[in-house]
Amino acid sequence: MKQLSNRWILFLILMVAVVLRVFNLSEIPFTHDEFSALSRLNFDSFSALIHEGVKIDGHPAGVQVFLYYWTKIFGISTIAVKFPFIIAGVISVYLTFSIGEKWMNETVGLLSAATVSCLQYTVLFSQIARPYISGLFFSLLMVFFLTKLIQHPKRNFLLNGCFFIISGALCAYNHHFSLLFAAIVGVSGLFFIQKAFLIRYCLLGLGIFGLYIPHLEIFFYQLNVAGVEEWLAKPTPVFFLNYISYIFNYSYIFIMVVLGIALGFLVTKKHVKINLKNYLLFLTWFLTPLLIGYFYSTNVNAVLQYSVLIFSFTYLLFLLFGHLPNCSPKTNLILVALILLTGTLSLVYERQHYKYFYQSPYLEILNDLQVANEKENVLSVVQSVEHINAYYMNQMRFDSNYTWYDQFESIPDFKQFLIDNAEHHSYFYLGCLHHIDPLVVPIIQEFYPSIELQKNYFGGSSYLFSKNPSPSKLVSTLDFEKDSLPSWSYNTSSIIDTVSYAGKRSYQINPDEEWGPGFEANLGRFLLKDHAFIDLSVKIKANQPPTATLVLTLENEGETILWRGYDFDQQLNLQQQGAESATFHGTIEIPKEHLNNPNLKFKTYIWNKDKNTFLVEDYKIKLRKGNPIIYGIVNKL
């Protein structure tokens, strides 16, 4: 009866896992990485798929080859593509239970499986057709059969060994980090397998290697390809804490429940038993990929992301729950219910997974474009990924009355577009992704000062600008009409009253003046709570664009944490260089971790590095709201 009752608890866990992964299944969008994978399936031969669709990607061939044949049979609808990965995610929950049960007991297995079932970590990657949840499934499968070989080697050794070889090879073909984990698991087995079976176990390892031999050419080719540091930063020590927080949904309540269960038994139970050898094994499996990824990223190429650690994270749960005794089904049900309830609530309400992940920025900026075009005289620009944009344009039959951002070769070209068209349009619509040049928004506001509407999505934003006066939060202005202003520093003897733009005076920077007017202020007084930018504009008059730089910095207790420099001569094209004067822009994003920092200081100045002569006037420094959820699926909201 006890076993039957615990099986019903496991059934409840699996049902929760299914519901959380298939909720509103038809509305789950493709991600950028999925679109990328699907765009590399349109080949006439397997050889072309490998050379043009696999090698260039940086991932092993396994998932790409699977999708190649799977989509030929079932098509490329979101349901068809994502379905096998959702199934892999649900089975991974079961395998977590089974491994926990075999190494410890049913209570440990149930609590670990319940946790895996409701984490955004596993729910998210179960809904993405990329080699992450599949790698978790394969790695758990490998550990499952290793467990059988260790605990019951005389029982079906050949059959379990064959499945061990297959699952190990699948890990190798799935992702380079699941290959790494498979190697760690394989070596670990040498210390646990019975001596009488050691030679046969080593032969199983050779079997895995033998199956991987056809992939070695791809492996070495991809090993020589540079990392992804153009978009992935090197990790810092704070990565470790952030990763643990991410695993548990960034939820204090959920973490407290998990720790409360884990620590509660240490306090109340005298017969708690800890198998040190098993603990060292799970600690090795959890920490080794993390540390290898961290030091490789800091010393060679940046590769470390939360996604590549999913193959080994479940062993952290065994470390937390592994000392628990085997409890009664009633106790198990209460503990499992606590985990499922708090985990699911944190997933739905704290992480808002089904709100943010289900909003594809590629689709939403096109939807918002249709709404914006209902107004009269709207000038529209869309920045997206061409083949993704085409997919939604064809699927939704959207109005294509917009300008494609990628046609602009530079920021000056974009500004010239505004100069040529702003006079004839009352509104400006911008739909963009997270990687658009941050100067674009302040440049638009030179012509359309007011942001009438801003919609933020995971990975992108939509804006509607108008020519109304700007309600932006003004930090400071400087027009040199007064001899001094708080927070500003400049040489009053350089103020002239013979040439000006709007008022009576301007400021002349001379060849002997390397540092132009400067501004310095503590940002703590602005009580910044949301993602924010500081935008700066200044008018310059010169016979030709000066080779000077507008510098913006953020400092924390005397240490520079961010530096941005914008060269004036790089913000004009040939057509604009013929004008007598122009407005130049700079912008700096306030790091999220410093939004509430009372010591955060902003500085800006002109660096006249080539000793030019030019006039400046009409500084404006503004605070602008950014997109607080731009990385919200993986970062804390």
Side-chain angles (χ1 to χ4, degrees), residues 238-288:
V238 75
F239 177 91
F240 298 101
L241 180 60
N242 289 342
Y243 177 54
I244 299 300
S245 299
Y246 173 68
I247 289 177
F248 294 104
N249 294 350
Y250 292 105
S251 172
Y252 292 117
I253 296 176
F254 189 36
I255 292 173
M256 291 298 292
V257 167
V258 170
L259 289 179
I261 293 172
L263 298 178
F265 279 86
L266 289 176
V267 174
T268 60
K269 297 287 185 178
K270 296 182 179 180
H271 58 279
V272 168
K273 294 181 179 179
I274 295 179
N275 187 316
L276 184 59
K277 189 176 180 180
N278 290 353
Y279 259 71
L280 288 175
L281 177 66
F282 297 140
L283 184 64
T284 300
W285 286 355
F286 173 69
L287 278 184
T288 305

Side-chain angles (χ1 to χ4, degrees), residues 32-48:
H32 177 90
D33 286 352
E34 287 174 300
F35 275 117
S36 176
L38 294 174
S39 71
R40 290 180 282 106
L41 295 176
N42 210 7
F43 299 106
D44 295 328
S45 67
F46 183 81
S47 176

Side-chain angles (χ1 to χ4, degrees), residues 31-38 40-41 53-54 57-65 67 81-82 85 88 124-136 138 174-175 307 310-311:
T31 63
H32 177 90
D33 286 352
E34 287 174 300
F35 275 117
S36 176
L38 294 174
R40 290 180 282 106
L41 295 176
V54 173
D57 178 48
H59 292 100
V63 169
Q64 196 67 14
V65 171
L67 288 174
V81 172
K82 292 175 182 289
F85 295 85
L124 173 68
F125 287 111
S126 295
Q127 296 176 324
I128 298 177
R130 297 304 294 135
Y132 301 112
I133 203 65
S134 55
L136 176 61
F138 296 144
N174 177 80
H175 193 283
S307 56
I310 194 172
F311 318 121

Side-chain angles (χ1 to χ4, degrees), residues 158-174:
L158 180 60
L159 180 63
N160 291 328
C162 288
F163 283 119
F164 177 76
I165 292 173
I166 293 170
S167 55
L170 288 172
C171 287
Y173 276 90
N174 177 80

Side-chain angles (χ1 to χ4, degrees), residues 549-564:
T549 302
L550 181 62
V551 177
L552 301 85
T553 68
L554 292 175
E555 295 183 0
N556 179 40
E557 298 181 344
E559 179 185 357
T560 299
I561 59 173
L562 209 56
W563 188 97
R564 293 287 180 268

Side-chain angles (χ1 to χ4, degrees), residues 521-528 555-557 593-602:
N522 193 300
L523 294 178
R525 61 191 175 98
F526 294 104
L527 300 175
L528 301 173
E555 295 183 0
N556 179 40
E557 298 181 344
E593 61 268 25
H594 288 283
L595 283 175
N596 296 310
N597 183 354
N599 300 314
L600 186 65
K601 185 175 291 186
F602 170 68

Side-chain angles (χ1 to χ4, degrees), residues 91 196 226 260 314 320 361 432 497:
I91 298 176
T314 49
L320 288 171
C432 61
D497 57 8

